[in-house]
Amino acid sequence: MHKLLAGQSGRKMFLLGNEAIARGAVEAGLAVGAAYPGTPSSEISNNLFEMSRESDLYFEFSVNEKVSMEVAAAAASSGLRSMTMMKHVGLNVAADPLLTLAYVGVKGGMVVVSADDPQMFSSQNEQDNRYYGKLAGIPVLEPSSVEEAKDMVRYAFELSEQVGEPVLFRTTTRINHSTGVVTLGDVQPVKTRGEFVKEPSRWVPLPVNARNLHVRLLKNLEEAKNISETSPYNFTEGSGAWGIICNGVSYNYVRDGVADLGIEGRVKILRIGFSHPLPEKMIQSFLAGCERVLVVEEGEPFMEEAVKVFAQEAGLTLPIKGKAPGLLSRLYEFDPAMVRQAVATFFGVSHAPVRPMDLSDVPEIPQRPPNLCAGCSHRASFYIVKKAAEGMDAIYPNDIGCYTLGILPPLSMADYLLCMGSSLGAGCGFSKATDKKIISFIGDSTFFHSGLPGLVNAIFNNHNMTLVILDNGTTAMTGLQPNPGVDMSRLNLSGYGHVSIEDAVRGVGAPFVTTIQPLKVAKSIEAVKEALQFKGVSVVISREICSLYAKALKLDTKRVFRISAKCIGHRNCIDELGCPAFFLKDGKAQIDPGLCTGCAVCAQICPENAIIPVKD
Amino acid sequence: MNTTRLIIVAVGGQGNLLASSILGEAALLSNIPVRMSEIHGMAQRGGVVESAMLFGDGASTVISDGEADVLVGFEPSETLRALKKCNKDTVVVTNLAPLPPFTVAIGRGVYPDLAKLQELIRAKTKKLIAVDALELAKQAGSTLAVNMVLLGATMQTGKIPVSPENVKEAIRTKVKKAFVDINLTAFELGFAAALAERS
C-alpha cells in the first residue's frame, strides 16, 4: 500500500512538503485530481497518481494546466472535492479558466496549488502568484512549514466550500522540497459521484449572466475577508512596540532571527497565512500597537503595499518598510541570515553578522552544470540537425524540457525561449522577421501541452520553418510522467488512449512530415536535409526512448562501447557530442563503461571507426 | 535545545537524499526535532544536490553561508565549493574519491589538487575528517554504499544529536532488504575510519 495511504491517524512521519500536501488532500476526501507536472510541484501529482491506483481517488495527468484546471473545475461544480497543482508558470497557462471560474464559483471544495520558485532553482522566472489570488478575487492560503501545509490544505477544501470559490494554495520551493515531521490525521471518505445541477445563469457566463456573477464574486470576496479577519492562520505572537508582518517561510527566518538577536520581548510578529483577502482590521489594530513595522515577504511587496494602504485608511503614520535598499530585496529567496540582518538594521539592534569566510586562496573550482545524460537521444538529434544544417544561417528556437540543455556547447542549439510551446510561435515570428532558416525544437510532452496551436498557426499562415519534435516517449524532465503520446502498456496501465504524433501532425495538414531514428546518424542527416530544403512547414519527428526511462523500464541494452587502438585522436566524439561517458586519460579519449548506454552515436561519427562494442 | 546545522553536498546519483532521509528518520526515532530542505539541480543529469538538515530548536529549513556546524561532502571538489557554508568552528567530513565534472574529464578544466584541498579546508575550519568512501564502500560490498560510509563518518563527529543505534535502525527500515547488510557494514566502516581520522 502507498505509504501516504497506509499511515494511520496520529502517526508521525518524516514527509516531503509535497507528500504532506498530497496527504492533506487525501485526508480531506479528495475525489478528483488533475495536473500537468512541473518542478517544484511534481511530487504532489506523482503521489496522487500512485494513490489513485489503490483508492477511490481519480487522478489524471492532463495535457496542460489549463485543461487540468477545467477538469477540476467541472468536478467541483458537480459537488466533488477537486484539486489541481502546478508550478507557478503553469498558472499562467491555467489563468484563463481560473479568472472566470471565480465568477461561476464551485460547489465542492476546489484547491489550486501554485508552487512558486523564488531563486528560480528550476524555472524561467520567479513570478509571485499571490497576485493571481488578487486578480481572480479568490482566497489565498500560504503555509510556513511542511507540518502546517498538510493541515492547511485540508482546511483549504472547507474554506472553498464555505466561500463557494476555488482557493489558491500558494507554496514556494522551500515548502515543496522541505521535509518535516508530520502528524497524520483521519482520512475522510471520498464522495466519488457528483451531481451537476443545470443552472445556465450560474454556469454559463454570457455577458448578461457574468454581470450578475461579478456581483456574486465580490460578495464572496467580502465573506472571505471576514473569515480572514478571524482566521487562526493569521495570528500574532510576542509583544513589544516593534512589529514584523511576515508570511510563508519568511516567518521561520523571522522567528529564528528574533531569537538569535535576543529581542523576543520587544517584537510582535503578525504571521499571515490567509493572505488574500488580507485581514484589514487585524492588520490595522496590529499597526496601532507598533512604533514601526517591517514587512518580511519573499518576492513582490504584495503585503507591504496593502499594509501601507491600510495604515493610510486608519490614519496611522508609523514607518512601514520591507522592500528597500539595505533591507529586503524583491530578488531571489531569503535565508535566515539575510532576514536577521534586515530585522537588526530596521530596529537598530546591534548585531555582529557572521563574517563570510575568506576564500581568496581557494583555487577556481570547475563548474558542474547539468548535462544531457550519456546516451540521451536528444544529443543525437541535435548533432544530426546541426550537421544537416551546415552552411545554413539558422535560428534555433528551443522549448522547455531536458532538451533545453542543448544550449550547452558543443551542441549550442538553443537561441530563444519564453515558455512551454514558444518554439512554435517564436519560430513563426522569426520566419517573418528575418531571412534566416528557422529550426524549432520541442519535446513530445511539450508539443501536446502547447505546441499544437503553434503548429496549426504555422501551417495556416504558411510560415517557412522546420519543426523537430524530440519524441523520447515520456515527460523526462519532471520525472517520467505519462503524456498523450506515451505507450501506457509499458507501464502496465490499461484503460488509456494513445495519440500518435504523426497522426496529429498530418491531421492538421503539415505538408512535409518525416520520422527519423536519431541513433541512425547518417540516414537521419539525409532525412533532415530533405526537410530543411522544403519551403513551408516541415516536421521531423525524432523518435528514441529516453535513456533514463529505458533504464527504469529495464529496456536498456547494457551493450557498451570502448575506444580501440585505432584511435588517432581526432576527438570528434568529445568535441562534437559532449557525452558525459567520455573522459581523457593520458590525452586519449576513453569511455566510462558504467555510464555508456550503447547508443553507438559516437561510433558512427568516429572518422577512424575506432569506437567498437565491448565483447562479452 | 541548541540547533545543529548540517549541510550535505553531493553529485546526483551518490545517494545523499537517502542518507539525509535516514538521518531524518533516526532523529524522529530519537525524538529530536528535525527539519530539512533539498535542492537538486537536475540531479539525474549530473548536477549538484544539496541537503540542509537542522536538528533541535528553530523553524528555518535553510542554512545561510557561514552557519553550518557540520559540512559533509560526498565529492571532494564539491566539499571545497561548499566551504562558504562553513566557519572556523565547522567540522567537515569529506569523501576523498573524486568524480571529476565533465569539463575536467574532457580536459577543459583543472581539478583541484587533493592534498591542497584538504590543507585549505583544515586551515579554515575546526576539523577535517577525510575518508576514501569509495574504497570503503567496495570493502562493504557495493560502490553504491558510499553514502552509508559517509553517514557513518558523519556520526563519528559526535556533532549530530542522534544516536548511531537509531541511525542503524533507520537504515534497516529505509533500505531495501537485500542491501541492508551491505549498508550497515558500510556505515560501520565509515564510523571506524572516521574514528581513526579523529585521533
Side-chain angles (χ1 to χ4, degrees):
Chain A
M1 202 181 202
H2 193 285
K3 74 169 182 183
L4 296 179
L5 286 174
Q8 297 294 311
S9 179
R11 187 174 158 207
K12 286 187 173 187
M13 288 180 85
F14 193 52
L15 294 183
L16 188 67
N18 280 342
E19 292 173 329
I21 291 167
R23 168 71 189 195
V26 166
E27 288 184 5
L30 178 69
V32 173
Y36 185 84
T39 311
S41 76
S42 302
E43 296 86 0
I44 311 173
S45 47
N46 293 349
N47 278 292
L48 291 177
F49 183 49
E50 287 165 15
M51 285 190 275
S52 70
R53 292 180 223 162
E54 39 185 306
S55 71
D56 286 335
L57 165 69
Y58 172 78
F59 180 86
E60 70 170 44
F61 280 110
S62 303
V63 71
N64 64 31
E65 296 87 351
K66 175 182 186 294
V67 173
S68 73
M69 180 75 73
E70 292 155 351
V71 168
S77 73
S78 306
L80 300 184
R81 287 193 162 182
S82 72
M83 183 158 98
T84 180
M85 59 237 71
M86 57 201 70
K87 68 184 288 156
H88 57 335
V89 287
L91 198 50
N92 299 333
V93 179
D96 200 358
L98 179 66
L99 268 75
T100 303
L101 174 61
Y103 276 44
V104 305
V106 296
K107 289 202 159 164
M110 174 168 165
V111 177
V112 177
V113 180
S114 169
D116 293 12
D117 190 18
Q119 194 78 26
M120 297 163 279
F121 290 109
S122 49
S123 306
Q124 66 268 43
N125 75 29
E126 54 180 350
Q127 67 185 53
D128 186 334
N129 275 6
R130 291 176 294 174
Y131 285 106
Y132 269 117
K134 194 166 181 174
L135 186 60
I138 59 174
V140 178
L141 296 177
E142 297 181 74
S144 290
S145 70
V146 171
E147 302 86 310
E148 187 178 38
K150 185 198 67 96
D151 295 331
M152 198 186 249
V153 82
R154 189 177 171 142
Y155 166 69
F157 287 94
E158 292 165 26
L159 175 64
S160 171
E161 283 164 11
Q162 195 179 350
V163 180
E165 295 293 344
V167 168
L168 185 62
F169 189 83
R170 189 247 186 180
T171 60
T172 57
T173 304
R174 292 294 184 176
I175 293 290
N176 302 102
H177 287 171
S178 278
T179 308
V181 180
V182 175
T183 307
L184 303 186
D186 293 329
V187 173
Q188 286 183 34
V190 181
K191 179 184 168 192
T192 57
R193 298 319 298 165
E195 193 189 350
F196 178 67
V197 181
K198 293 187 182 184
E199 190 188 346
S201 64
R202 162 87 189 266
W203 301 117
V204 185
L206 290 175
V208 62
N209 294 336
R211 289 182 201 113
N212 295 328
L213 290 169
H214 196 187
V215 174
R216 176 194 166 279
L217 170 60
L218 294 187
K219 254 188 221 158
N220 290 349
L221 192 58
E222 199 53 37
E223 190 191 345
K225 190 173 181 176
N226 291 335
I227 299 168
S228 178
E229 290 285 4
T230 55
S231 171
Y233 289 114
N234 296 328
F235 57 82
T236 305
E237 63 186 24
S239 60
W242 297 343
I244 299 176
I245 300 177
C246 53
N247 71 327
V249 293
S250 301
Y251 167 63
N252 304 327
Y253 310 152
V254 165
R255 261 178 69 185
D256 289 354
V258 165
D260 292 344
L261 293 169
I263 52 172
E264 290 100 327
R266 306 168 74 175
V267 181
K268 258 197 307 269
I269 300 171
L270 172 57
R271 200 298 299 261
I272 298 291
F274 194 140
S275 61
H276 186 262
L278 281 166
E280 183 175 353
K281 290 194 192 86
M282 183 191 278
I283 290 172
Q284 282 167 337
S285 82
F286 180 83
L287 295 176
C290 295
E291 284 168 9
R292 55 200 289 121
V293 165
L294 181 67
V295 183
V296 185
E297 56 188 326
E298 288 178 330
E300 300 300 318
F302 178 85
M303 294 196 298
E304 182 187 341
E305 288 177 351
V307 167
K308 287 174 176 170
V309 170
F310 296 155
Q312 201 276 343
E313 295 265 348
L316 298 165
T317 55
L318 74 167
I320 300 168
K321 284 216 181 310
K323 308 290 178 185
L327 282 177
L328 294 162
S329 173
R330 288 164 63 178
L331 293 169
Y332 317 137
E333 70 165 358
F334 290 171
D335 66 52
M338 196 186 281
V339 170
R340 189 192 308 135
Q341 182 62 56
V343 170
T345 303
F346 184 68
F347 295 112
V349 181
S350 71
H351 156 242
V354 174
R355 251 187 286 148
M357 184 173 270
D358 177 14
L359 298 174
S360 56
D361 54 345
V362 171
E364 193 184 337
I365 305 162
Q367 290 303 310
R368 195 184 293 272
N371 192 354
L372 293 169
C373 303
C376 174
S377 56
H378 298 328
R379 177 177 294 103
S381 300
F382 285 130
Y383 175 83
I384 286 159
V385 174
K386 200 169 187 168
K387 284 288 163 191
E390 245 168 25
M392 281 182 174
D393 196 3
I395 298 175
Y396 298 103
N398 206 304
D399 224 299
I400 299 213
C402 297
Y403 48 91
T404 316
L405 293 175
I407 192 174
L408 298 171
L411 299 166
S412 307
M413 294 288 268
D415 294 328
Y416 192 78
L417 172 65
L418 293 173
C419 60
M420 294 283 283
S422 69
S423 63
L424 265 300
C428 295
F430 285 124
S431 80
K432 289 297 169 196
T434 72
D435 296 322
K436 304 273 176 81
K437 175 67 196 173
I438 308 304
I439 307 173
S440 292
F441 293 101
I442 194 168
D444 49 343
S445 192
T446 308
F447 175 69
F448 287 116
H449 177 284
S450 49
L452 263 167
L455 176 61
V456 172
N457 182 71
I459 294 165
F460 172 65
N461 288 307
N462 197 24
H463 291 291
N464 188 22
M465 62 183 287
T466 298
L467 171 66
V468 182
I469 302 176
L470 303 163
D471 179 11
N472 63 358
T474 186
T475 313
M477 176 83 170
T478 49
L480 308 174
Q481 293 87 353
N483 69 59
V486 167
D487 176 359
M488 296 297 275
S489 67
R490 272 179 171 162
L491 300 168
N492 295 321
L493 292 172
S494 58
Y496 288 89
H498 175 257
V499 182
S500 146
I501 295 177
E502 276 90 339
D503 287 354
V505 168
R506 287 212 172 85
V508 299
F512 183 105
V513 183
T514 186
T515 300
I516 62 168
Q517 295 172 279
L519 302 190
K520 294 181 178 169
V521 177
K523 206 176 158 191
S524 296
I525 291 173
E526 289 314 307
V528 173
K529 274 185 180 164
E530 206 188 323
L532 296 183
Q533 291 308 321
F534 185 82
K535 292 276 172 273
V537 178
S538 59
V539 178
V540 177
I541 300 164
S542 182
R543 177 167 296 131
E544 180 62 38
I545 190 169
C546 161
S547 55
L548 287 176
Y549 190 42
K551 205 186 251 176
L553 294 174
K554 300 194 168 36
L555 295 173
D556 47 339
T557 61
K558 309 245 195 291
R559 176 188 64 165
V560 301
F561 281 68
R562 68 181 178 88
I563 314 269
S564 71
K566 277 162 67 181
C567 172
I568 57 167
H570 287 92
R571 290 199 195 164
N572 290 20
C573 46
I574 286 177
D575 294 342
E576 297 187 14
L577 291 177
C579 171
F582 280 82
F583 62 97
L584 285 175
K585 194 174 176 189
D586 305 327
K588 285 192 77 177
Q590 300 286 319
I591 295 174
D592 180 342
L595 289 176
C596 179
T597 66
C599 75
V601 170
C602 55
Q604 295 168 65
I605 71 158
C606 174
E608 301 300 323
N609 292 317
I611 305 178
I612 58 173
V614 173
K615 292 223 177 76
D616 294 326
Chain B
M1 66 182 287
N2 287 339
T3 311
T4 304
R5 297 177 174 85
L6 163 68
I7 293 263
I8 307 179
V9 290
V11 175
Q14 286 192 300
N16 89 313
L17 299 186
L18 178 63
S20 54
S21 73
I22 284 172
L23 214 41
E25 288 291 338
L28 188 57
L29 289 171
S30 315
N31 254 324
I32 299 290
V34 59
R35 301 166 303 287
M36 164 165 100
S37 69
E38 290 156 359
I39 292 300
H40 14 109
M42 296 189 82
Q44 284 187 298
R45 289 143 196 92
V48 181
V49 189
E50 182 186 301
S51 304
M53 299 194 76
L54 292 99
F55 304 88
D57 289 344
S60 304
T61 67
V62 174
I63 299 170
S64 300
D65 288 357
E67 300 193 350
D69 297 305
V70 183
L71 166 68
V72 179
F74 280 29
E75 200 284 334
S77 73
E78 293 309 327
T79 314
L80 189 59
R81 201 196 306 279
L83 208 51
K84 63 177 187 295
K85 290 287 179 191
C86 301
N87 56 55
K88 60 180 176 25
D89 296 319
T90 306
V91 175
V92 181
V93 175
T94 190
N95 183 5
L96 283 176
L99 282 173
F102 181 60
T103 44
V104 171
I106 60 168
R108 295 203 187 113
V110 181
Y111 193 89
D113 176 72
L114 277 181
K116 170 88 179 148
L117 177 151
Q118 293 177 74
E119 195 184 301
L120 275 167
I121 298 174
R122 243 180 221 118
K124 291 174 189 298
T125 60
K126 182 159 191 186
K127 179 186 283 290
L128 172 68
I129 295 175
V131 295
D132 186 338
L134 184 63
E135 187 50 43
L136 294 172
K138 279 181 194 160
Q139 280 181 33
S142 168
T143 54
L144 295 177
V146 161
N147 55 351
M148 294 302 131
V149 173
L150 290 162
L151 192 54
T154 303
M155 291 310 298
Q156 187 60 268
T157 63
K159 288 271 185 183
I160 310 297
V162 172
S163 73
E165 282 61 42
N166 280 342
V167 175
K168 283 188 258 181
E169 183 55 33
I171 291 174
R172 283 185 205 101
T173 54
K174 292 284 289 184
V175 171
K176 278 191 192 141
K177 273 216 170 66
F179 301 108
V180 168
D181 288 343
I182 289 174
N183 277 271
L184 286 172
T185 309
F187 178 88
E188 295 290 4
L189 286 173
F191 195 73
L195 178 64
E197 267 282 304
R198 257 180 92 182
S199 48

